[in-house]
Amino acid sequence: TGTDHYYSGVYSYDSTTEPMIADLEVTASTLDKLPLGTYQSIFEILENGKKIKSNCAMPGENRPSEFLENTIVSEKVEE
């Protein structure tokens, strides 16, 4: 819609676990669909860092323990 949105917070991860875990504590947001709180996720790096697979839980929900059918796979964008 041409409106700029933002969120801010603190990101942490642990790459020594299997699967790896990450937390994003959102402390401010202009997005209605991004409530404040801690988003707990699992992730896996694929194809030598070209892709990442992740599942994330909304604040107040338990961290996923495995990758589900709706797992997001993101590709690295080359500039």
Side-chain angles (χ1 to χ4, degrees), residues 3-4 9 16 24 36 45 48 55-56 58 63 65 69:
T3 304
D4 291 335
T16 65
L24 172 61
L36 303 182
I45 306 295
N48 293 323
N55 274 113
C56 184
M58 296 294 286
R63 181 187 316 277
S65 58
E69 287 183 32

Side-chain angles (χ1 to χ4, degrees), residues 3-79:
T3 304
D4 291 335
H5 292 284
Y6 77 92
Y7 68 90
S8 63
V10 178
Y11 179 81
S12 62
Y13 69 94
D14 184 350
S15 60
T16 65
T17 62
E18 183 63 39
M20 294 179 270
I21 61 173
D23 294 334
L24 172 61
E25 182 182 352
V26 176
T27 56
S29 174
T30 61
L31 299 167
D32 294 336
K33 294 182 180 180
L34 188 71
L36 303 182
T38 302
Y39 294 77
Q40 298 180 340
S41 66
I42 58 173
F43 69 99
E44 182 178 346
I45 306 295
L46 307 170
E47 298 180 23
N48 293 323
K50 293 181 181 178
K51 294 183 179 184
I52 185 169
K53 176 169 65 171
S54 66
N55 274 113
C56 184
M58 296 294 286
E61 295 179 0
N62 293 328
R63 181 187 316 277
S65 58
E66 61 187 12
F67 295 104
L68 307 174
E69 287 183 32
N70 63 343
T71 295
I72 297 169
V73 176
S74 302
E75 292 189 45
K76 182 178 180 180
V77 176
E78 299 293 332
E79 293 185 24

